[in-house]
Amino acid sequence: MALLLSTVAIWGSTPQVTSVAGHYTTPIMLTTLRAVPTAVVLLVAMPLLRFRLPDSRSAWLFTAAGGLLMVGVFLGGFTEAVIKAGPSNAIVMASTSPFWVALLSRAVYRERIPPRTIAGLLIGFAGIVVVFSSHLGAHAGAGSTLAGLGLALAAALGWALGTLIVKEQLTREPDTDLLGVVTGQYVVGGIALLALALPVEGAAATHWSSSSLWLSVAFIAVIGSALATFAYFGALRVISATRATSWSFLSPVVAILISAALGTAPSAVSLVGIVITLAGVFIVNLPKRGRERAVEPVLEPAA
């Protein structure tokens, strides 16, 4: 829970910084600048922090798949979604990730989803919708908004698939070095994003000399990406993927509280939504009762 609280706090503060960086570069290049420096910093710090990269073919397959999904698809898709559909629409659509995790866990691992968990997920998502209800709707043209919503949905699905891949990797190899997995993911995802950003957007539109850009990139890369992902993976060692992703409902809540601290007071409707969201996450993470504990799912692929 401490790891997830740290993750939520970091992810909730990242949009404010990302919006600053967005003034100085293009969406895919911004995502690339978030991923590549993270990989470089972690590789340089590897001797000091004494962690190891994945050391087998299967481990690298898991790491590469997770990197393409959680770094490339999620970060890239969500950033583009914010630009095309607006932050509120993108956040609401990306918040469907816990539902995808629950559905995929049921389909792949035969994981029983208790009714209380389903109710908590629905309540948490309803709270997010209420929080941003006054901001939902067309952001630009109808086509741009629809494209943005599709990208946000792809980002949510990418994060859900990546979460289950990491959970499977940790289940098969409990001694997996988490920092090594995070580093490997950002190496793979960063290379893929760089190969996409240069031919699609180029480097000319980026203000490379801007100190605001580089300060923002330093925060979202090292803290918003590497540190937050490491904490999230650490939580996946001991709790289910569905419970872990349910905490992502709280990141928008943290973002609103930060905005309030900076002088933008939330509306009464947003406050009601925050309470609903907190209630949903609380329900999902209530201690399991005896019968539910007895059928705690084991993550074994279906035959």
Side-chain angles (χ1 to χ4, degrees), residues 31 33 35 55-56 60 65 109 113 131 137 141 145 154 173 176 188-189 203-204 210 239 247 249 260 282 297:
T31 310
L33 290 175
D55 54 5
S56 67
W60 266 113
Y109 299 115
I113 307 173
V131 167
T145 300
E173 301 179 15
T176 296
V188 173
S210 170
I239 67 174
W247 284 70
F249 287 143
F282 175 76

Side-chain angles (χ1 to χ4, degrees), residues 23 100 212:
H23 294 296
W100 293 115
S212 296

Side-chain angles (χ1 to χ4, degrees), residues 21 24-26 29-30 33 201-210 213-214:
Y24 303 98
T25 186
T26 51
M29 184 59 73
L30 175 57
L33 290 175
E201 294 179 342
T206 300
H207 300 274
W208 298 103
S209 61
S210 170
L213 171 65
W214 290 110

Side-chain angles (χ1 to χ4, degrees), residues 11 33 42 69 94 96 119 121 148-150 154 162 164 169 173 176 189 209 213 224 248 251:
W11 282 341
L33 290 175
L42 288 171
L69 290 166
T96 60
L121 291 175
L149 292 175
L164 292 180
Q169 184 174 3
E173 301 179 15
T176 296
S209 61
L213 171 65
S248 64
S251 293

Side-chain angles (χ1 to χ4, degrees), residues 127 130-131 267-277:
V130 171
V131 167
S267 65
V269 173
S270 293
L271 290 175
V272 171
I274 289 173
V275 172
I276 295 173
T277 302

Side-chain angles (χ1 to χ4, degrees), residues 18 20-34 75-76 79-80 83 196-198 200-208 213 217 220:
T18 303
V20 174
H23 294 296
Y24 303 98
T25 186
T26 51
I28 300 179
M29 184 59 73
L30 175 57
T31 310
T32 304
L33 290 175
R34 182 175 182 173
L75 292 182
T79 303
E80 285 278 6
I83 301 299
L196 181 64
L198 291 177
V200 173
E201 294 179 342
T206 300
H207 300 274
W208 298 103
L213 171 65
V217 165
I220 63 178

